[in-house]
Amino acid sequence: MASRKILLNGKRVAAEYQAIGSGDSETSEALLYWLRERFGQQGPRFGCGVSQCGACTVLLDDVPIRSCTRQLHTVDDNAEIRTLDGLSGKRPHPLQREFVELQAGQCAFCANGMIMGSLGWIEGRITAGNHEVPSEAEIEDFLSGATPNGQGNYICRCGTHTRIVAAIRSAAKEMVR
Ligand code: FES
Ligand code: FES
């Protein structure tokens, strides 16, 4: 057994995980299972399991990643992970609020990826000094994976992308202030 310490939604946690092999041949369990089964995180979900849909997205050191294929041994000790479970404080985060108010989901299975992915994307723009509200076209490019860093590609199987784009844009207006 190997172990990892992480900062999970602001709280220091540690747990063991299964690892097989060593060096270049090392493999280990996926971060998604570890977060859900050891730490009760219910935001990140198993959708496709092969890095295609985004349902399992979490922020690793502020960068959206696909936790279904991210093996634990590749996560640095003391890395910071944020999940949807830790997003709201006393009030819902603007993204959460706008997804509800604009009814940006039917089954909402994709909502975790849409919210956490756009959170990391918008925060990244702000950190880079871009305080512009993203246009609908920019949000569509982000969701379709057309951004330069390739972090996008978030799939909604119910086809509510129009409302999702509107919810992200509405929340971004508050986030960039
Ligand atoms: S479940 Fe991870 S990308 Fe689909
Ligand atoms: S609302 Fe059902 S997958 Fe997006």
Side-chain angles (χ1 to χ4, degrees):
M1 286 289 233
S3 66
R4 272 289 175 278
K5 299 186 207 80
I6 56 169
L7 189 63
L8 176 59
N9 296 326
K11 187 177 168 192
R12 298 223 167 265
V13 298
E16 294 182 326
Y17 65 91
Q18 289 283 353
I20 300 169
S22 60
D24 289 347
S25 63
E26 183 173 2
T27 60
S28 55
E29 66 186 281
L31 177 61
L32 174 63
Y33 306 130
W34 199 66
L35 289 172
R36 287 186 63 90
E37 292 168 16
R38 303 292 175 90
F39 297 109
Q41 302 299 294
Q42 298 183 341
R45 294 175 173 179
F46 183 93
C48 63
V50 288
S51 289
Q52 293 297 307
C53 71
C56 61
T57 299
V58 300
L59 299 190
L60 174 59
D61 292 330
D62 299 327
V63 176
I65 60 135
R66 309 279 155 118
S67 65
C68 65
T69 50
R70 186 63 185 257
Q71 296 188 7
L72 263 166
H73 73 278
T74 69
V75 175
D76 289 338
D77 234 357
N78 298 312
E80 180 179 6
I81 293 176
R82 285 189 281 161
T83 72
L84 184 63
D85 304 65
L87 189 55
S88 60
K90 288 182 180 166
R91 296 182 184 167
H93 185 276
L95 281 163
Q96 293 173 302
R97 188 193 64 228
E98 292 307 303
F99 266 68
V100 172
E101 289 195 358
L102 298 182
Q103 298 184 21
Q106 289 187 42
C107 75
F109 201 85
C110 65
N112 173 73
M114 298 296 180
I115 290 174
M116 295 309 290
S118 54
L119 174 71
W121 177 56
I122 294 167
E123 286 185 349
R125 284 167 57 104
I126 294 169
T127 301
N130 183 353
H131 291 262
E132 296 292 319
V133 176
S135 66
E136 284 185 13
E138 285 177 311
I139 296 169
E140 287 166 5
D141 280 351
F142 165 67
L143 295 178
S144 66
T147 48
N149 61 15
Q151 287 175 0
N153 196 24
Y154 294 86
I155 295 169
C156 172
R157 292 170 179 84
C158 298
T160 56
H161 285 96
T162 306
R163 290 185 185 183
I164 288 168
V165 170
I168 293 171
R169 188 145 197 275
S170 186
K173 289 176 185 170
E174 193 171 326
M175 292 169 70
V176 301
R177 273 190 213 141

